[in-house]
Every structure is written in C-alpha cells, then in structure tokens.
C-alpha cells in the first residue's frame, strides 16, 4: 500500500469500516466455506451463484444509530442510493449484489428490497424520482410491462436504481508545453473537482481506458460521452463558437488519430459515435487505421482532449469523458418485495436462486444483523472479476495480497452492540494469511506515521475552500477556524488524536488461513468535545467531496448532512454544505430542472438550520445571497427564476421570514430578488437583537439590501423593463446613500463611509491595519452608487434600449448596425460627461462593441474613428482595477445626486 492509502484508507476508512470492501482472489487450494446463516426466508436469498459480493442493511436502524450512520456504506451501494432516500420511499431492508455479467464479463449489479407495504411499482418509481428532483416538473416515469421466462416484469431506463453502465478512464494532464502537469491552470473558479487546460496550446487532458475491446463498440463505433466546463476569457466573443478537439492515441506507439472537432458547451452531456475506421496523418501522408488493432495497445486506449482557441479553458474532472452503453433495468415485484437486475437473464436466475440459496446468501443472512458485507470468490474465474470490482469500488487499493489472495470475507455489525464489529477473513493458505497479517500491522504503523500529513492536508483542503468561498461571497457568513498558526495546528492535533485512538483499538488475530479483525469504538467517542466534533464534521465534508469525484452526488449530500448533524452550531459547516449542493454539484447537471433541484437543496439546507434557529442572522444573510445571486445571475437566470417563482413548496417553508405577498414583480409573482431583499432586511433586524458576535462582517451585513436591489434593477434592465428598472435603480441609489451615511461601530471607534479617512498617525480614528479595509469599502460603495446614478441618466438608458433593439431585431442587418451605433454613441456621451461613473460597468458593453465591429466588417465600412476611443476603453477596461484594495478614492468623481449629474452633463 502506498503511503497516502495507508493514511487515508487504512486509518480513516477503518474508522468507519470502509475498507471492508478490500478483498479478492486466491490460488487453487480448496478453501473451507465460511459460517453461514439461514437465508431461506431472508431477502438475501436472491443472490444467484454468479454473484461474488454483496451487502445487506436495514436503513432505519443504520441511520438512527450514530456509529452505524457513520459507515461509508456509499462505496458498497449504487450511487443513487442513500439511507434517507430508502427511508423516504419505505424501504425497510435492502440487499445489493454484484458479479460478472454474461456474456460481456463486466461487473453487473443487482438488488432486492423489501418495503413497508405491497408495491405499486409505477408509483414507487415516481416516489423514488421525487425524492431526488423537483416534484412539479418531473417527466412521467418510463415504466413498461413485459414478460420473460413465464413471469411479468417491469422494464425501466438504466441508471434508475443500479449504477449506469459506463467505463471510466484515468485522467492525467499536460501543461502548455506538453509536459506532465498535476494541477492544471487556475482560472479563479471554486471547483475542486475540475482542473483546467488552456486552449490552443499543448495543454491537454488525457483519459486512459483499460480493457477496451470489441464488446465496447456499438454498431461498429466507440461510444464516448463528454461533459465539460468551459471558461471563456473576457476577450472571447459572447456568442462565439468554442472549439474543442478529441483524438484517440495509442499509449505505447503514440499513433494518433486526426482530431474530432466539436463545440464545447457548459455541462452538456455530449455523445460521440467514434467510427472504428480512423485516419492518421504522418510524414507518409494520411492513411486509414483500425481503432482496435492500431490505436488500442494491450487493451489500453488514450482519449486526448484539447481546447481549440486561446480564449477558452476547458475544465475536466476524473469522469468527464467516459465510454457509455445504452441499457435498461428489469424489475420483478411480488407483494412487498422488489428484485432488480440489469438483464432479463440475471433476473430469472435470481428468482430461481431463491429456491436453493447460494453460499453468498448464507454469508449475508447473519441473524439479528443490521449491516453485513460478504465476499465469496472460491473460483479463479470469479477472482478476475473481483479485481475489477475492487478497483471500481476503491481504486486506491493497490495491495497485491488483498487483490489476489482472499477467498471469503464476512463483516457484521449489529445495532444492539454498535460499539464494535468483527471481520472474518479467509485466505487460500496460512502463508497468505500470515503475510497479510504482517502487512496490516505495517500499514497501521505507517498510517500512524502519516497522520500528521494526512490530517493537515484534509483540514487545509476544507478550510482553503472555505476561504475561497468567503472571497466568492464578498465576505460571506462563513467564520472559519484559522488556516495557519496555533489555532489550525490545534485542530490538526485533535483530528490526529481521534484517528490515533481508532488505530489503537484495532485487534488482528490469525489462526491458520483465517484472520479476525476486531474494531472497537474508542471511549472518547462517547464524550467528544465541541472542538473534536468540529474537526470530525470537517473531515466528513472532505469525504463528501471525494464522493463527488466518483459522481456519487446523492451520497455526497448525505455525507454533508452527517457533518451538520455532528456539529449543528457551526455556521461554516452549514454554509459549506449548502454551497456544495447549490454550486458544486449543480454544475454537473444539464437541464434547468436538474440544476434547480440541486440549487433548491442548498436553499433547503439553510431552511433546515433556520427551523432550528429562526433568528440566526448569519444564515439569513447567506440565504439571501444564494437566492439572489445563484438564481438571479448567469446565463440560465430567466429559467431558474421562473422555477423558483413556481416552487410553492419551497416558498411555504420561507413564509416564516418572508412576506410572500410583497415579493411580486412586474415579471414574476414571487421574484427571487425581492425574496432575497426581504431576507437581507430580516438578517439586519435580527443582527441588531443578537446576543452573540456575528460571523458576517458589518459592512457586508449593511451592504446586502442595496446590493440585492441593484441586482434586481440589473435584471429588469436586462429584460427590457425600462420603466420598472428606472424605479429600481432609484431605490438602489437611496439604499447605497444610506449605507454611506450609516455609522459603523467597531472596537476601535466609529466611522461613516462618507468620511474621508486617514491613518491614525494623522489624527484620524482608523487604525493603520484597518485603513486599507475601510478604503476598499468606501471604493466599493461609491462605485456601486455611481453605477446606480449612471443607469438613471438618459444617455445610458438610451444606449441600453438601442442595443437591446439591435440584439432582438428581426429586421435587416443594416438596421441592427444603426441601432448598435446609436446606442454606442449615446454611451460615448455619458462616458465623456462622467467617465468615472461608467468605469464600474463599462465592460458589460463588450459584446455589443464586438458585434458592432463585426457588422462594420460585414459591410466593409472604414474604421469608426468617432467611436474608436470608447471601443478601446470598453475592450481594455478592468473593473477589478477600479475596485482594487486601498485605492485612493480622491480621484473618483462622485456627484451629490442624480440631478447634479444631469446638470453637469
């Protein structure tokens, strides 16, 4: 085992029995069958003889027990299954099996479930879907009734219950010079799952697939699926094609196919049918090659992704390019039982197996057990399949002995005695068992030695993401423990001590070919301090992010929920959980309904906390940010705002803090921006009555209502609601003026942002170490105020209306050209009169400037010298330079009112 696996999976996964899935293979010696229970009337009786591994659990008992609920059952179940989802749909018992499929020889999954009442399967499928998506927008479930082997069964789309049939590759990167790269290029996005490659360079993402063969082809083509994030620089035209290239390459000879070019789109599942006949180019010209014979080497194939323009960066995760297969699931229903398989033949064998239960069924039928894991690989042919399964369940396992020498494994945990568990393992011979025993001792010792590094990296990763999240929110209600220094080291020491105690409680004994591993819960688990709970909760968040890498999204959210249960008073745990759902997971989904379902989950996380603590100003503030920014900004804002406006269930939950009757707008009956504004006002009211220090900084707290009002005004302007937008800008103007006039009280004194501030050495009240911060707050507030005032001017309004006419016109190109020029000329007048007022948002007109220049080129017009200075300023304008920390605000021309601005014009 490598050192990272020793620290991460022997230590942390042993902590929660996750490493129980380690198993596999042996030689030809006969092995003694393990002890078994009576499976005749047990749900596990459907384990047919081809299955080599399985697990059984009772969701309610596992979820309701603190120790059992921490088990990483996720790795042993299909990605769509969580304890909460099972409970919501009435599943009382669940058994999951896997083994080799026929005739492909790949890993095949199956399951059996017992529910609380007789199964109406179409309604059950609908209930299952509703537990994961937006209820009112779900399409009708695709459920078909069929017949096979004299029995009626249901046919449903693959991936409904069982893992979708896809082959994943191993991702590596190269930098712009073509050299190996482990980090990719940082583009400023908060996405720990994806890394970015630069377009039009040698920077690339390489996915290496194993065991590629004829069986992976469909109708003579290799089916690839691709889902990317596309980051476009400011110089990339808004509607410009975003080219990307895919090539197939032989990993040994380097022989590479000619590129397949396609339009890279954000988070859209693109499918390609790659013909078996490919073309390669070389010094001898172009020639045809066979994909399987010439580009695949010993079963290995590289798929190379590159960006086609220097203005785009492609974000890729470990599973973003994969080989897919179209498939179905087959379900037999009898009374309160359901049996699910990925083929009709497997389903039939499972039903027949119930009449004469297999050895695996006996292993799983342990009496009075609430969680059981079993592995049964007595035949050499089964062990090859188990090696593939082991790699997919826990790819970091690289121990040869666990990979090829195990014959049987049974692990049992009971809710009646949750403080300990026993794992019984049988190897093919005593020498193997002795060697594994020694290896485990060495691994545990190495894990103890690696604990300082592992715990520091784990907590550093979580706190680092939290720090970036603070920046993304402009100073959100995320009060994080220190990332460096004594406070951070104390957290590292606490987590290290917990894992150290766990490792000390592992007892391993050997008798011949058998190993017994006893896991006992440390005494300290019954009396954890608040600080210890905090670090465990942060570790849970780290495990949740790992699940996302394997597209186990529902299970990742369940792990985050575990974190908030462990430490319910920690605001930053709630915020990071909500951010995880609304931002990080939603990006993986295509379609507005699917994206919104995850965004609303994040909103629901905040509401869960508010129902426990209704006056929590930190949560109210951050919830207002989510509802305003995440729903109201971006390319899909119109659709997401519509879904939010129709979401009566979510609105009902918010009614305790929001007067819904007062959130109507000219566009929507319940407008997200107005809801967010009310929540920000409520956060402000609650902060004034709070008896404890708030996590939200005072400036951000008082800024939020004005900032959200500005967002609402921008939305109305964008959608051409000019009259209503004018009123919204006026209200935002008033709110920013109130912000500047507000007296902020700090422990070092009082200050209004309208004041001119100097350092304390010059007699002012602001300490030197706070001066830069106060000046930045002034710059931000005054810059946004100038934006509000500029938007009310006739020239800017006329510019926006003309540009909107140009974009929406169904008229001839010459009319579009005229509207663009009239709009830009009006903008030029505003810019000449008050250049500082336009600086904060001049870059928003960049796409209009690009489109105008393109039309000029189409008409072969000479350079527009009259607009040239404005266009150059638009293209080179840097909003961030205007808002940089510590800028001297004395050069900002700030009129006292809209009227004075108009007079100066």
């Amino acid at each position: 085992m490598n050192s990272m696996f020793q620290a991460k999976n022997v230590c942390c996964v042993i902590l929660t029995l996750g490493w129980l899935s380690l198993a596999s293979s042996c030689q030809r010696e006969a092995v003694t069958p393990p002890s078994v229970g009576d499976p005749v009337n047990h749900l596990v009786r459907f384990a047919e003889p081809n299955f080599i591994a399985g697990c059984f659990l009772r969701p309610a008992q596992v979820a309701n027990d603190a120790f059992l609920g921490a088990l990483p059952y996720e790795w042993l179940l299909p990605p769509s299954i969580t304890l909460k989802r099972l409970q919501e749909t009435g599943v009382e018992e669940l058994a999951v099996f896997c083994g080799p499929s026929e005739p492909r020889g790949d890993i095949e999954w199956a399951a059996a479930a017992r529910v609380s009442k007789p199964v109406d399967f179409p309604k059950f499928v609908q209930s299952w879907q509703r537990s994961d998506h937006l209820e009112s927008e779900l399409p009708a479930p695709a459920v078909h009734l069929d017949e096979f082997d004299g029995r009626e069964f249901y046919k449903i789309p693959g991936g409904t219950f069982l893992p979708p049939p896809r082959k994943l590759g191993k991702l590596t990167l190269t930098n712009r010079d073509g050299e190996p790269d482990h980090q990719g290029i940082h583009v400023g996005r908060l996405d720990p799952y994806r890394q970015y490659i630069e377009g039009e360079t040698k920077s690339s993402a390489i996915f290496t697939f194993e065991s590629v063969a004829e069986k992976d082809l469909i109708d003579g083509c290799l089916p690839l699926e691709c889902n990317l994030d596309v980051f476009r620089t400011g110089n990339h035209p808004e509607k410009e094609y975003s080219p990307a290239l895919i090539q197939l390459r032989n990993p040994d000879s380097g022989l590479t196919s000619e590129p397949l070019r396609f339009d890279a789109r954000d988070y859209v599942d693109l499918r390609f049918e790659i013909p078996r006949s490919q073309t390669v180019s070389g010094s001898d010209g172009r020639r045809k090659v066979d994909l399987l014979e010439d580009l695949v080497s010993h079963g290995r194939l590289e798929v190379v992704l590159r960006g086609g323009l220097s203005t785009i960066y492609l974000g890729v995760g470990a599973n973003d390019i994969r080989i897919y297969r179209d498939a179905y699931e087959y379900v037999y229903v009898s009374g309160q039982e359901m049996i699910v398989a990925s083929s009709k033949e497997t389903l039939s064998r499972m039903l027949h197996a119930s009449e004469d239960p297999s050895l695996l069924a006996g292993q799983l039928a342990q009496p009075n057990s609430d969680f059981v894991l079993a592995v049964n690989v007595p035949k050499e042919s089964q062990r090859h399949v188990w090696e593939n399964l082991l790699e997919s369940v826990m790819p970091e396992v690289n121990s040869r002995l666990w990979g090829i020498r195990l014959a049987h494994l049974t692990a049992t945990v009971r809710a009646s005695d949750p403080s300990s568990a026993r794992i019984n393992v049988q190897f093919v011979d005593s020498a193997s068992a002795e060697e594994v025993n020694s290896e485990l001792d060495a691994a545990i010792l190495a894990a103890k030695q690696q604990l300082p590094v592992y715990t520091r990296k784990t907590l550093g990763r979580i706190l680092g993401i939290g720090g970036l999240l603070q920046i993304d929110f402009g100073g959100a209600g995320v009060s994080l423990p220190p990332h460096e220094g004594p406070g951070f080291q104390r957290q590292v020491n606490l987590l290290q001590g917990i894992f150290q105690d766990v490792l000390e409680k592992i007892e391993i004994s050997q008798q011949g070919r058998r190993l017994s591993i006893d896991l006992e819960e440390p005494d300290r688990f019954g009396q954890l301090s608040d600080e210890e709970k905090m670090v465990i909760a942060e570790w849970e968040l780290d495990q949740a992010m790992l699940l996302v890498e394997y597209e186990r999204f529902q299970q990742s959210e369940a792990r985050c929920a575990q974190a908030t249960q462990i430490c319910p008073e920690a605001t930053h745990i709630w915020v990071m959980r909500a951010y995880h759902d609304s931002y990080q997971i939603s990006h993986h989904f295509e379609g507005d309904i699917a994206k919104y379902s995850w965004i609303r989950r994040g909103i629901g996380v905040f509401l869960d906390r508010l129902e426990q603590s209704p006056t929590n100003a930190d949560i109210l503030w951050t919830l207002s940010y989510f509802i305003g920014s995440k729903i109201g900004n971006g390319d899909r804002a119109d659709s997401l705002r519509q879904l939010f406006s129709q979401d009566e269930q979510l609105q009902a939950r918010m009614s305790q803090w929001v007067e819904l009757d007062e959130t109507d707008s000219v566009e929507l009956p319940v407008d997200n921006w107005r809801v967010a504004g009310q929540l920000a006002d409520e956060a402000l009211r609650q902060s004034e009555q709070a008896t404890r220090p708030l996590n939200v900084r005072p400036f951000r707290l008082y800024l939020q209502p004005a900032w959200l009002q500005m967002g609402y005004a921008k939305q109305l302007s964008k959608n051409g609601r000019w009259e209503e937008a004018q009123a919204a800008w006026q209200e935002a103007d008033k709110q920013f003026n109130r912000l500047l006039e507000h007296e902020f009280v700090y422990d070092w004194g009082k200050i209004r942002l309208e004041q001119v501030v100097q350092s304390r050495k010059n007699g002012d009240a602001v300490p030197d170490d706070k001066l830069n911060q106060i000046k930045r707050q002034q710059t931000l507030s005054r810059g946004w105020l100038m934006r509000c005032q500029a938007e009310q001017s006739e020239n800017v309004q006329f510019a926006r209306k003309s540009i909107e006419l140009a974009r929406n016109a169904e008229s001839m190109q010459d009319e579009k050209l005229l509207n663009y020029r009239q709009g830009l000329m009006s903008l030029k007048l505003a810019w000449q009169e008050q250049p500082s007022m336009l600086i904060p948002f001049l870059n928003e007109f960049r796409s209009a400037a690009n489109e105008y220049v393109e039309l000029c080129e189409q008409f072969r017009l000479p350079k527009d010298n009259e607009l040239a200075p404005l266009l150059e300023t638009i293209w080179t304008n840097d909003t961030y330079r205007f808002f940089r920390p510590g800028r001297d605000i004395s050069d900002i021309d700030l009129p006292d009112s809209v009227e004075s601005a108009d007079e100066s014009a």
Side-chain angles (χ1 to χ4, degrees):
M1 298 186 180
N2 61 41
S3 60
M4 180 55 69
F5 175 72
Q6 291 167 353
K8 182 176 182 179
N9 286 318
V10 175
C11 169
C12 300
V13 183
I14 278 181
L15 171 64
T16 54
L17 303 186
W19 74 289
L20 299 184
S21 56
L22 307 182
S24 209
S25 223
C26 67
Q27 294 183 342
R28 297 190 172 116
E29 289 187 43
V31 293
T32 306
S35 61
V36 297
D38 182 8
V40 174
N41 296 314
H42 202 288
L43 186 65
V44 298
R45 68 186 185 278
F46 297 105
E48 59 110 339
N50 279 344
F51 293 146
I52 58 176
C55 70
F56 168 81
L57 68 117
R58 293 186 172 92
Q61 284 81 348
V62 173
N64 293 332
D65 185 275
F67 179 66
L68 293 182
L71 296 175
Y73 60 87
E74 304 97 345
W75 300 103
L76 311 176
L77 302 177
S80 64
I81 295 178
T82 66
L83 296 179
K84 180 181 178 182
R85 202 172 187 186
L86 292 172
Q87 290 178 280
E88 288 179 349
T89 51
V91 175
E92 296 179 334
E93 295 181 347
L94 176 72
V96 176
F97 317 106
C98 57
S101 66
E102 299 291 345
R104 299 173 67 94
D106 295 330
I107 298 167
E108 182 176 21
W109 293 78
R114 181 175 289 128
V115 297
S116 56
K117 58 184 179 181
V119 179
D120 182 332
F121 187 69
K123 289 185 178 179
F124 181 88
V125 172
Q126 192 172 43
S127 174
W128 183 261
Q129 296 280 46
R130 281 178 178 169
S131 66
D132 187 44
H133 291 88
L134 180 63
E135 292 188 26
S136 60
E137 299 291 339
L138 277 176
V143 178
H144 305 283
L145 193 61
D146 208 336
E147 184 175 337
F148 181 75
D149 197 21
R151 292 184 174 94
E152 285 189 340
F153 64 90
Y154 294 96
K155 178 181 175 181
I156 57 178
T160 303
F161 298 120
L162 305 177
R166 295 181 301 182
K167 177 174 286 188
L168 303 178
K170 180 180 179 181
L171 172 63
T172 56
L173 303 175
T174 61
N175 60 22
R176 63 184 61 176
D177 299 318
E179 299 297 325
D181 185 10
H182 301 292
Q183 296 182 341
I185 296 173
H186 179 62
V187 298
R189 287 196 171 171
L190 300 178
D191 190 349
Y193 171 72
R194 284 183 168 84
Q195 299 167 302
Y196 290 81
I197 59 173
E198 184 178 5
E200 215 169 10
T201 68
K202 294 181 181 180
S203 179
S204 66
I206 304 167
F207 293 81
T208 304
F209 294 91
E210 304 283 347
S211 305
V212 178
E214 184 88 34
K215 63 186 180 182
D216 294 306
L217 304 185
I218 298 178
D219 297 330
C221 294
L222 181 69
L224 286 183
E225 191 173 59
C226 176
N227 187 304
L228 307 172
D229 177 30
V230 184
F231 177 82
R232 301 169 181 85
T233 66
N235 295 326
H236 187 82
E238 184 176 353
K239 298 180 180 179
E240 182 68 27
Y241 177 75
S242 300
L245 302 84
I246 282 180
Q247 295 175 279
L248 307 184
R249 186 168 70 192
N250 186 309
D252 294 326
S253 69
L255 186 66
T256 306
S257 68
E258 290 186 344
L260 166 69
R261 298 178 183 272
F262 65 97
D263 183 14
R265 288 179 281 169
D266 298 314
Y267 305 108
V268 175
D269 284 330
L270 300 175
R271 288 191 169 184
F272 309 104
E273 306 291 338
I274 310 295
R276 180 165 180 171
S277 176
Q278 290 289 300
T279 302
V280 299
S281 301
S283 57
D284 55 349
R286 302 172 73 231
R287 61 188 175 93
K288 292 290 185 180
V289 298
D290 184 274
L291 189 157
L292 295 179
E293 295 179 5
D294 300 307
L295 298 177
V296 175
S297 177
H298 305 290
R300 297 170 65 240
L301 172 69
E302 290 182 347
V303 177
V304 183
L305 172 73
R306 289 190 176 92
L309 278 180
S310 60
T311 54
I312 65 172
Y313 294 78
L314 301 179
V316 293
N319 302 330
D320 280 354
I321 292 182
R322 55 254 181 177
I323 299 174
Y324 75 87
R325 299 162 186 158
D326 289 324
Y328 295 93
E329 295 172 10
Y330 304 88
V331 184
Y332 178 77
V333 175
S334 176
Q336 295 175 244
E337 293 182 336
M338 291 184 296
I339 300 89
V340 186
S342 53
S343 72
K344 294 179 284 188
E345 293 76 14
T346 300
L347 182 63
S348 179
R349 290 197 299 270
M350 291 174 69
L351 295 173
H352 287 298
S354 65
E355 302 167 4
D356 183 18
S358 65
L359 176 61
L360 181 66
Q363 287 178 261
L364 290 169
Q366 300 294 324
N368 303 316
S369 297
D370 300 302
F371 184 93
V372 183
L373 170 70
V375 177
N376 181 38
V377 284
K379 299 179 182 178
E380 187 173 357
S381 59
Q382 294 173 319
R383 295 194 286 273
H384 291 299
V385 178
W386 177 252
E387 285 186 283
N388 293 332
L389 175 62
L390 179 61
E391 183 177 354
S392 66
V393 171
M394 192 171 289
E396 290 176 306
V397 176
N398 60 6
S399 166
R400 180 177 179 274
L401 289 174
W402 282 106
I404 65 172
R405 305 296 287 172
L406 182 141
H408 302 289
L409 180 149
T410 304
T412 305
V413 182
R414 298 177 179 86
S416 58
D417 183 19
S419 62
S420 63
R422 167 162 284 203
I423 309 154
N424 292 316
V425 190
Q426 184 181 163
F427 291 89
V428 297
D429 52 39
S430 57
S432 297
E434 184 174 353
E435 192 171 351
V436 169
N437 191 358
S438 299
E439 184 184 70
L440 281 176
D441 287 338
I444 292 171
L445 178 61
K448 292 178 181 178
Q449 295 171 345
Q450 288 291 323
L451 277 177
V453 174
Y454 170 73
T455 52
R456 187 175 184 84
K457 283 186 175 180
T458 298
L459 294 179
R461 186 161 48 241
I462 291 297
L463 299 181
I465 291 172
L468 290 174
L469 189 149
Q470 284 184 312
I471 296 171
D472 189 46
F473 286 0
V478 186
S479 179
L480 291 168
H483 192 191
E484 293 293 343
F488 177 67
Q489 188 58 50
R490 175 174 171 76
Q491 280 204 320
V492 171
N493 294 341
L494 285 172
L495 188 60
Q496 182 179 337
I498 291 169
F499 289 159
Q500 184 79 24
D501 287 356
V502 170
L503 292 173
E504 294 292 345
K505 290 290 186 177
I506 300 175
E507 297 289 341
I508 304 172
S509 59
Q510 178 194 352
Q511 186 175 7
R513 291 179 299 199
R514 301 177 186 272
L515 281 183
S516 293
I517 306 172
D518 290 291
L519 307 176
E520 185 177 347
E521 182 181 2
D523 296 337
R524 72 190 295 171
F525 276 29
Q527 48 188 3
L528 291 171
S529 67
D530 290 342
E531 283 187 288
E532 290 171 326
K533 291 177 182 178
M534 176 83 75
V535 296
I536 292 176
E538 289 170 348
W539 177 77
E540 291 278 7
L541 292 175
D542 185 67
Q543 299 305 293
M545 288 190 290
L546 177 64
L547 288 164
V548 169
E549 293 182 20
Y550 295 90
E551 297 189 343
R552 292 176 170 267
F553 303 117
Q554 292 87 353
Q555 295 170 345
S556 178
E557 153 58 18
R559 186 60 61 184
C560 286
Q562 181 77 9
T564 51
Q565 290 173 13
I566 292 171
C567 205
E569 299 300 321
T571 298
H572 76 282
I573 300 292
W574 288 95
V575 173
M576 292 180 74
R577 176 187 168 191
Y579 179 83
H580 184 72
D581 290 351
S582 292
Y583 285 75
Q584 293 178 315
I585 295 183
S586 70
H587 284 174
H588 291 264
F589 288 83
E590 168 59 17
D592 295 329
I593 294 173
K595 283 184 178 295
Y596 178 73
S597 71
W598 280 100
I599 293 171
R600 90 189 286 270
R601 282 193 189 203
I603 294 171
V605 168
F606 288 127
L607 294 173
D608 289 342
R609 179 57 182 149
L610 285 174
E611 286 165 359
Q612 301 171 11
S613 178
T615 61
N616 191 317
D618 291 322
I619 295 296
L620 285 165
W621 185 94
T622 318
L623 176 58
S624 74
Y625 183 96
F626 270 55
I627 292 177
S629 180
K630 184 58 182 176
I631 293 177
N633 290 329
D635 297 337
R636 303 186 183 222
D638 290 340
S639 178
L640 295 177
R641 293 177 71 226
Q642 188 72 33
L643 289 169
F644 177 82
S645 181
Q646 297 170 351
D647 195 343
E648 295 180 359
Q649 185 181 20
L650 190 65
Q651 293 162 19
R653 292 191 67 190
M654 291 189 294
S655 60
Q656 181 178 345
W657 301 274
V658 176
E659 293 292 340
L660 294 171
D661 293 340
E662 299 176 7
T663 60
D664 293 359
S665 72
V666 68
E667 295 186 306
L668 296 168
V670 179
D671 193 297
N672 69 295
W673 287 108
R674 303 201 67 183
V675 170
Q678 282 201 29
L679 288 166
D681 290 339
E682 180 65 16
L684 204 54
R685 284 191 291 271
Q686 295 299 337
S687 70
E688 293 170 352
Q689 304 173 22
T691 58
R692 62 169 181 80
L694 296 182
N695 295 329
V696 183
R697 301 169 190 169
F699 171 71
R700 290 297 300 178
L701 185 67
Y702 283 87
L703 166 69
Q704 191 81 331
W707 185 83
L708 291 169
Q709 179 66 26
M710 184 174 66
Y712 176 51
K714 288 169 63 176
Q715 187 74 49
L716 292 172
S717 295
K718 174 187 173 185
N719 293 342
R721 303 283 187 174
W722 307 114
E723 184 177 344
E724 295 82 3
Q726 177 77 350
W729 284 116
Q730 290 174 0
E731 178 60 28
D733 185 337
K734 294 176 183 177
Q735 293 196 23
F736 275 112
N737 271 304
R738 285 198 292 268
L739 175 67
L740 287 166
E741 296 167 1
H742 177 76
E743 185 175 68
F744 288 92
V745 180
Y746 297 98
D747 54 2
W748 44 262
K750 302 176 182 179
I751 192 169
R752 290 186 175 89
L753 295 179
E754 63 184 357
Q755 298 174 223
V756 176
V757 297
Q758 301 180 51
S759 65
R760 175 162 286 180
K761 64 185 179 182
N762 292 326
D764 206 85
V766 181
D768 290 345
D769 61 340
K770 302 296 182 183
L771 183 64
N772 201 44
Q773 175 184 328
I774 297 299
K775 283 194 172 186
R776 175 173 171 78
Q777 293 172 359
Q778 289 181 317
T779 302
L780 289 169
S781 304
R782 295 189 176 201
W784 283 322
L785 175 60
M786 288 192 298
R787 164 71 182 273
C788 296
Q789 294 176 340
E791 291 283 3
Q792 298 173 64
S793 69
E794 291 183 5
N795 284 327
V796 173
Q797 288 187 51
F798 183 81
R800 288 202 179 277
K801 291 177 183 179
S802 298
I803 290 170
E804 188 70 19
L805 280 174
R807 286 176 171 166
N808 297 332
E810 298 179 0
S811 54
M812 304 298 290
Q813 294 290 85
D814 57 345
E815 292 184 20
K816 291 187 177 183
L817 178 66
L818 177 62
N819 283 324
Y820 271 128
R821 192 171 195 282
Q822 287 178 340
L824 291 170
M825 283 297 298
S826 184
L827 185 67
K828 177 188 173 185
L829 291 175
W831 175 59
Q832 289 175 333
E833 294 160 359
Q834 293 287 350
S836 295
M837 292 182 70
L838 268 67
I839 289 295
F841 65 101
L842 201 59
N843 61 335
E844 292 182 11
F845 293 92
R846 188 169 293 166
S847 61
N850 292 336
E851 290 162 12
Y852 171 68
V853 171
E854 288 176 6
L855 286 170
C856 289
E857 291 173 351
Q858 289 179 22
F859 283 94
R860 299 185 178 180
L861 299 175
K863 181 180 179 180
D864 192 334
N865 292 323
E866 195 172 6
L867 282 176
L870 172 68
L871 297 177
E872 184 64 25
T873 304
I874 290 174
W875 288 325
T876 59
N877 179 49
D878 185 355
T879 301
Y880 296 103
R881 190 181 305 156
F882 176 84
F883 286 129
R884 72 181 183 270
R887 171 174 176 167
D888 184 357
I889 62 172
S890 61
D891 62 336
I892 298 178
D893 185 8
L894 179 62
D896 295 332
S897 66
V898 178
E899 288 75 15
S900 64
D902 291 338
E903 289 170 6
S904 63

